[in-house]
């Protein structure tokens, strides 16, 4: 399967790097915000699959579609099937996936509606999401990232199964938001090493990049490669589990999380990602005014 993240075993966070795209188009603080009418608090229902994938309904051209809420993807992704059906012009682009350069498609989506958010002329990555659709058993129009969600305050609540707009919950762990990359990056410690990790609603794992994370058994051997378990948009990526994983975030200790590492060749500006549900969090909240994401316990 070739998908940005495999279901239940998500081994990469992605960011589109297109030399032809100006910073103004990728910097969330330069993204048009919802107007006064749209800022009134409202909510749409969320269907949770596999315990972590948040699926919501949105519209493209007045037609209802299913979208995955994925804060680990920037910019948002449009299914290649739908791009072809709409007759969109798809150009070549490039992204860094699991530390590797990957050629992919890029297009401009005329409009997308999600709750009170109405985005127009939205630059999107175009990918084949048939593997997602096969796994979920439903059609998926795309993955909605922070370039869309970050246009207003929002709160994703897994317990209430809702995506609420116009209200902010600040009772959790505050995480800085990198507007240039369109990603929330948490300062954390994994196995005693300081790392910057993407806050990712599209995963239920903790994944770090690099070659020096393994622990050895009594015979001095590294844990075996799990070939084929990590599948990226580029190719199958070998992964290794981290034995006795330990993670610290905002002074809180997390042990026993499913944690893996993958080789990374490209400089990405971050060291991996963690799934919101991997940490057993009930949700996230974003404050547009302060450019802060909160991890809700």
């Amino acid at each position: 399967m070739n998908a940005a993240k495999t279901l239940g075993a998500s081994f990469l966070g992605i960011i589109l790097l297109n030399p032809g795209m100006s910073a103004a188009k990728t910097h969330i603080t330069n993204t048009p915000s919802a107007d006064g009418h749209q800022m009134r608090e409202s909510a749409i229902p969320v269907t949770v699959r596999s315990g972590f994938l948040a699926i919501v309904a949105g519209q493209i051209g007045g037609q209802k579609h299913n979208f995955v809420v994925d804060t680990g993807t920037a910019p948002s992704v449009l299914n290649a099937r739908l791009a072809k059906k709409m007759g969109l012009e798809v150009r070549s682009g490039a992204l860094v996936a699991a530390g590797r350069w990957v050629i992919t498609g890029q297009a401009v989506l005329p409009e997308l509606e999600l709750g009170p958010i109405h985005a127009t002329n939205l630059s999107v990555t175009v990918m084949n999401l048939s593997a997602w659709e096969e796994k979920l058993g439903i059609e998926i129009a795309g993955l909605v990232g922070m370039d869309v969600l970050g246009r207003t305050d929002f709160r994703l609540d897994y317990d209430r199964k809702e995506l609420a707009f116009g209200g902010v919950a600040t009772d959790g762990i505050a995480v800085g938001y990198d507007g240039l990359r369109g990603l929330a990056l948490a300062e954390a410690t994994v196995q005693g090493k300081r790392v910057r990790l993407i806050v990712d609603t599209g995963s239920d794992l903790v994944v770090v990049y690099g070659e020096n994370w393994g622990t050895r058994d009594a015979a001095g051997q590294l844990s075996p490669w799990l070939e084929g378990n990590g599948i990226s948009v580029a190719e199958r990526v070998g992964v290794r589990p981290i034995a006795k994983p330990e993670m610290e975030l905002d002074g809180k200790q997390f042990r026993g999380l499913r944690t893996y590492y993958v080789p990374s060749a490209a400089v990405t500006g971050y060291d991996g990602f963690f799934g919101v549900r991997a940490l057993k969090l009930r949700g996230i909240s974003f404050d547009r005014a302060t450019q802060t994401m909160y991890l809700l316990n």
Side-chain angles (χ1 to χ4, degrees):
M1 294 183 301
N2 289 326
K5 302 189 182 81
T6 55
L7 304 181
S10 203
F11 288 108
L12 54 99
I14 65 173
I15 178 171
L16 183 71
L17 300 176
N18 177 17
M21 183 182 295
S22 68
K25 291 184 179 178
T26 57
H27 200 296
I28 295 301
T29 55
N30 288 333
T31 301
S33 63
D35 60 28
H37 172 73
Q38 294 171 322
M39 284 296 289
R40 290 202 297 266
E41 189 166 358
S42 61
I44 59 177
V46 169
T47 299
V48 180
R49 295 291 185 93
S50 302
F52 71 99
L53 277 177
I55 300 173
V56 296
Q59 293 188 45
I60 296 177
Q63 298 294 315
K64 185 176 178 180
H65 295 279
N66 297 315
F67 294 88
V68 174
V69 177
D70 189 354
T71 59
T73 297
S76 295
V77 174
L78 180 68
N79 197 336
R81 170 183 55 78
L82 190 56
K84 181 178 180 180
K85 182 178 179 180
M86 296 177 65
L88 299 182
E89 178 186 355
V90 179
R91 304 180 304 279
S92 292
L95 56 79
V96 174
R100 302 182 183 188
W101 284 100
V102 180
I103 301 300
T104 187
Q106 182 184 358
V108 175
L109 185 63
E111 64 173 335
L112 184 151
E113 293 185 39
L114 185 68
I117 297 175
H118 184 197
T120 58
N121 297 322
L122 182 69
S123 294
V124 294
T125 302
V126 177
M127 293 175 56
N128 180 3
L129 300 181
S130 60
W132 288 73
E133 295 178 307
E134 181 180 350
K135 282 284 187 179
L136 294 172
I138 59 175
E139 291 188 348
I140 296 294
L143 316 179
V144 178
M146 288 296 294
D147 54 331
V148 174
L149 296 168
R151 294 172 181 241
T152 185
D153 301 336
F154 75 87
R155 183 181 69 257
L156 173 62
D157 193 314
Y158 288 95
D159 292 343
R160 295 183 178 179
K161 293 183 173 58
E162 68 176 17
L163 177 60
F165 302 91
V168 179
T170 60
D171 57 340
I173 300 172
V175 173
Y177 182 73
D178 187 329
L180 183 61
R181 291 185 171 87
L183 300 167
L185 296 171
E187 302 285 344
T189 301
V190 175
Q191 305 303 93
K193 299 180 182 180
R194 294 190 62 83
V195 291
R196 299 180 78 208
L197 302 178
I198 299 169
V199 179
D200 190 357
T201 57
S203 173
D204 64 345
L205 303 173
V206 178
V207 174
V208 288
Y209 302 152
E211 307 254 2
N212 301 314
W213 296 96
T215 53
R216 299 178 184 274
D217 58 22
Q221 299 296 314
L222 286 170
S223 54
W225 288 108
L226 304 179
E227 294 291 350
N229 282 356
I231 305 171
S232 78
V233 294
E235 57 185 303
R236 291 178 179 271
V237 178
V239 301
R240 276 178 167 151
I242 294 179
K244 298 180 180 180
E246 295 184 357
M247 176 176 171
E248 181 177 328
L249 179 63
D250 194 43
K252 296 179 175 59
Q253 297 287 335
F254 298 90
R255 292 186 173 86
L257 305 177
R258 289 189 299 160
T259 306
Y260 299 83
Y261 69 99
V262 298
S264 180
V267 176
T268 59
Y270 49 86
D271 306 297
F273 60 90
F274 67 86
V276 170
R277 294 298 275 175
L279 274 56
K280 311 300 181 185
L281 301 172
R282 64 179 173 86
I284 58 173
S285 182
F286 180 70
D287 186 337
R288 178 183 168 85
T290 63
Q291 296 287 279
T292 304
M293 182 172 284
Y294 295 91
L295 309 180
L296 308 178
N297 298 308

